[in-house]
Amino acid sequence: MKTMHRTLLGAAIAGTMLIAGTAVAQETQERADRTVAAQSDSDQPVSDTWITTKVKADLLASSDVAGLDISVETTNGTVSLSGDVESQAQIDRAKAIAAEIEGVTNVDAQQLKLKPGM
């Protein structure tokens, strides 16, 4: 009888380990699938996301730029700035801030415009 209990216990433990191992493998595969999907939009999606976040944070931290009025998008290291600002000096400063960020290969500020009446 003890042998049968040990056998059943061993089988139950083995079954539990198999189910847990399968779940871990499935979760790992799902994570890998999400990573591949995220990389399909850009050659450098993690870098682009980091660059966008860093540029936006530096614009918001600068007292020389209306950071809340500027939108930032990054694709393959090219930062695109858009929005309405109060002066040409703010456009120039925003471009300089973006250009200083590691990983930025180009800054496109053609969509940065002076607010009407400025």
Side-chain angles (χ1 to χ4, degrees):
M1 190 65 138
K2 283 186 175 183
T3 304
M4 188 169 135
H5 286 290
R6 286 185 189 160
T7 303
L8 289 174
L9 180 59
I13 291 172
T16 301
M17 292 176 69
L18 177 62
I19 291 169
T22 302
V24 169
Q26 183 177 2
E27 181 180 330
T28 302
Q29 181 60 46
E30 288 172 358
R31 190 175 302 132
D33 291 344
R34 286 192 303 267
T35 300
V36 169
Q39 293 175 345
S40 64
D41 292 339
S42 170
D43 293 341
Q44 314 170 342
V46 173
S47 296
D48 287 346
T49 302
W50 182 86
I51 290 169
T52 297
T53 302
K54 182 67 173 144
V55 169
K56 190 65 177 175
D58 285 8
L59 289 173
L60 289 169
S62 174
S63 61
D64 301 335
V65 179
L68 290 174
D69 296 334
I70 299 174
S71 295
V72 180
E73 292 183 22
T74 307
T75 304
N76 296 325
T78 297
V79 175
S80 297
L81 304 174
S82 61
D84 295 327
V85 294
E86 296 176 6
S87 67
Q88 183 62 45
Q90 285 190 353
I91 292 173
D92 296 340
R93 183 65 184 132
K95 288 170 50 177
I97 288 170
E100 293 171 0
I101 304 300
E102 180 183 346
V104 172
T105 58
N106 189 32
V107 178
D108 176 6
Q110 292 180 11
Q111 297 301 314
L112 274 181
K113 308 291 182 194
L114 294 178
K115 289 181 181 178
M118 294 290 163

